[in-house]
Amino acid sequence: MSYQSNVDVQLIAQALAVKPGLRRIVVGLSGGLDSTALLHLTHQWWLQQPADHRPALHAIHINHQLQPQAEQWQQQCAEMCARWQIECTVRKVLVNTEAGSLETVARQARYAAFREFLQSGDGLLLAHHRDDQVETMLQRLARGSGPLGLGAMTSCSEQHGFTLLRPLLAVDRVQLEQFAHDHDLAWVDDPSNRDPAMERNFIRLRLLPQWRNARPQLNQALARSARLARESALLLDELAALDLGQPRADGGLQTSALQGLGLARQKNLLRYWLRRQGVQPPSETITLRILNEVLTAAPDGQPLVAWGHNSVRRYQSTLYALNRPLPEPGGLAIPVNQFERPHALPLGRLLVNASAPAFSRRALLEGSGLEPLTVRFRRGGERLQLPGRPMKPLKDLFQEEGVPPWLRGLWPILWRGDQIAGLPGLCVCEGFLPQSGDDQLGLLWDPGDAAQD
């Protein structure tokens, strides 16, 4: 049976119109039918653009090294790009097959490689189509997902500084196959896609074919349901943003924002806040534990609810979320002799920030015979002197500034020899204030994804 493909370069033009001015277009190329068709379409669109106005076109192939044919597929992708005069980058990744489902860990490794390669101003084009959208929705439905999960994949999203675009989400796989045949395209077939033991393959090979026989418009109907679920999720996010109010600089969630809300709105706000902090929202059971144990704890309590590497804690009247285990730096001392580049710390980075409390550059870095400048971490008993004030225990400063207890041993302390120069982002000590505008050096501790959250 022959199908009208309805696949042409307008799909690429429409996708890129959402994000004009991209510096470089990068197509994710596995060598399979979908990505081969996408690369061909994108190349045809690119050739139609004025030579002095079109962005650079690039392809990236991720070799997961999971199949005996992986090197052959890599070579075929490189040869295809060479024929079309498209620059191709190959990244080999190691997939920990014991860390979870193969589909999940392979995707995590693939996206990590994408993030490493892509830069600000890049657009990554991926070849997910309507069949993929339907399969994703059904997988999430089986896991009990809410509107956000059932919304499946979006056609455009921002990811770590680059833009991710999926131009083919309104196209069925059978249309792509017809397009590929019409244009004499050659592609590779991954045998793992025929293994019904994998959930997605079971849906694709066993469930959907019979269902589509009974409902020919099934793809369109389920894709419409995914779109409606996504719209509902957006509305729930807007409601949660109203309930949250002005976000705190430290990422915390005030208990007052949750109090007085009905249970459904409490859960919605909690999930929204956790996603903003880079924390995977927990199960329904864990969500209720957070509301029942952390929210209602005594003001002087420090309750904790954890799931996987994630946790929610409370300090005073604020909830904080963490998305990783906290390191224990102990007696670590990190030498510092420059601030042109960020310094990696056990949690996050030390970096220059003009808005942060300013140190004296000369007092920290210049002059002969200065004692070494190091970053160390709290061990207990440290004392410091703020400008114009007597010496005081570091513990008192942390309490006055409301620093959560679990971050006190991770906050970087700048030491000049045996004297504390200050705590970046928190305070500057006596003798280390800048003496002039050109002597200012603003330093900040950026804890990263786990920032006081």
Side-chain angles (χ1 to χ4, degrees):
M1 182 176 180
S2 177
Y3 289 83
Q4 176 64 37
S5 73
N6 294 323
V7 177
D8 59 38
V9 295
Q10 283 304 307
L11 292 168
I12 308 302
Q14 291 166 6
L16 294 175
V18 176
K19 191 71 177 181
L22 291 174
R23 181 182 60 85
R24 182 174 61 162
I25 295 173
V26 180
V27 177
L29 179 64
S30 68
L33 165 67
D34 313 334
S35 63
T36 299
L38 176 61
L39 183 63
H40 178 82
L41 276 170
T42 308
H43 184 234
Q44 292 303 305
W45 172 87
W46 186 83
L47 290 173
Q48 295 176 9
Q49 308 309 303
D52 56 344
H53 285 90
R54 60 194 180 198
L57 179 59
H58 204 105
I60 181 169
H61 173 77
I62 309 299
N63 184 342
H64 299 86
Q65 305 182 89
L66 293 173
Q67 299 290 342
Q69 308 95 320
E71 293 297 322
Q72 178 185 341
W73 297 340
Q74 175 181 315
Q75 183 62 30
Q76 287 181 242
C77 288
E79 292 173 355
M80 180 194 310
C81 291
R83 286 196 304 272
W84 295 343
Q85 297 183 317
I86 299 171
E87 187 175 352
C88 181
T89 294
V90 173
R91 288 286 188 270
K92 291 186 175 181
V93 297
L94 294 176
V95 178
N96 183 358
T97 57
E98 298 180 356
S101 75
L102 183 59
E103 180 184 3
T104 298
V105 294
R107 181 176 63 250
Q108 290 171 344
R110 181 166 60 252
Y111 277 75
F114 287 151
R115 289 193 296 270
E116 182 181 301
F117 174 73
L118 292 157
Q119 303 170 9
S120 178
D122 287 350
L124 174 66
L125 273 59
L126 297 182
H128 298 112
H129 46 70
R130 190 151 51 195
D131 293 50
D132 294 320
Q133 185 79 314
V134 167
E135 293 161 11
T136 299
M137 181 191 183
L138 292 176
Q139 279 187 298
R140 295 179 179 179
L141 181 65
R143 295 170 191 167
S145 294
L148 182 64
L150 296 179
M153 295 177 283
T154 58
S155 58
C156 177
S157 61
E158 298 300 320
Q159 303 273 335
H160 300 273
F162 64 89
T163 302
L164 193 159
L165 297 165
R166 296 184 175 95
L168 306 179
L169 278 184
V171 178
D172 294 328
R173 187 184 191 280
V174 67
Q175 295 175 287
L176 286 179
E177 191 167 358
Q178 183 66 52
F179 173 84
H181 285 304
D182 291 345
H183 291 81
D184 296 321
L185 302 181
W187 62 88
V188 302
D189 282 311
D190 185 344
S192 68
N193 289 333
R194 299 192 293 271
D195 179 7
M198 298 176 65
E199 183 181 57
R200 181 176 289 272
N201 291 343
F202 172 80
I203 293 172
R204 178 186 305 139
L205 301 173
R206 300 282 177 85
L207 177 62
L208 286 174
Q210 295 186 52
W211 203 357
R212 288 188 181 115
N213 285 338
R215 287 183 174 270
Q217 301 301 312
L218 181 67
N219 263 22
Q220 292 91 325
L222 292 181
R224 182 170 62 253
S225 292
R227 186 181 71 253
L228 294 173
R230 191 158 56 249
E231 290 175 1
S232 297
L234 289 173
L235 291 173
L236 289 172
D237 278 356
E238 289 181 9
L239 176 63
L242 291 173
D243 289 338
L244 178 63
Q246 181 65 35
R248 286 171 56 101
D250 63 3
L253 174 62
Q254 290 288 106
T255 56
S256 58
L258 289 161
Q259 291 163 346
L261 298 179
L263 179 59
R265 283 178 70 169
Q266 285 183 331
K267 292 192 291 184
N268 183 57
L269 174 56
L270 188 63
R271 287 190 292 261
Y272 173 78
W273 169 69
L274 288 171
R275 291 201 313 274
R276 283 178 56 93
Q277 306 310 311
V279 176
Q280 183 67 32
S283 67
E284 181 83 358
T285 300
I286 296 295
T287 299
L288 291 174
R289 279 192 60 201
I290 294 171
L291 294 173
N292 292 331
E293 298 176 20
V294 180
L295 181 60
T296 61
D300 58 349
Q302 294 182 26
L304 164 69
V305 173
W307 66 102
H309 292 314
N310 306 293
S311 62
V312 169
R313 307 164 186 245
R314 175 174 168 177
Y315 177 59
Q316 296 178 347
S317 61
T318 306
L319 272 60
Y320 296 90
L322 298 167
N323 62 3
R324 69 186 74 174
L326 291 176
E328 297 181 5
L332 180 66
I334 303 173
V336 176
N337 53 28
Q338 60 79 30
F339 288 104
E340 283 73 30
R341 297 180 304 279
H343 290 270
L345 301 174
L347 181 67
R349 303 175 302 164
L350 173 62
L351 44 79
V352 173
N353 185 294
S355 301
F359 289 78
S360 164
R361 182 184 296 272
R362 285 187 282 272
L364 291 182
L365 296 174
E366 299 177 13
S368 59
L370 290 178
E371 294 183 275
L373 181 66
T374 58
V375 169
R376 299 183 227 165
F377 301 89
R378 184 185 180 206
R379 302 297 299 277
E382 295 88 354
R383 297 177 65 83
L384 76 174
Q385 184 179 7
L386 300 181
R389 295 168 62 180
M391 295 286 288
K392 67 187 302 181
L394 176 58
K395 181 177 83 169
D396 291 355
L397 176 70
F398 280 142
Q399 291 175 344
E400 292 168 6
E401 296 294 332
V403 176
W406 55 89
L407 289 182
R408 296 175 187 177
L410 291 162
W411 204 295
I413 306 170
L414 274 175
W415 290 79
R416 163 66 69 205
D418 292 328
Q419 181 183 3
I420 294 179
L423 281 72
L426 195 61
C427 71
V428 178
C429 291
E430 181 73 42
F432 293 91
L433 288 173
Q435 301 303 305
S436 62
D438 60 2
D439 188 33
Q440 292 185 3
L441 180 65
L443 295 177
L444 180 71
W445 176 41
D446 174 17
D449 290 340
Q452 295 190 46
D453 35 19

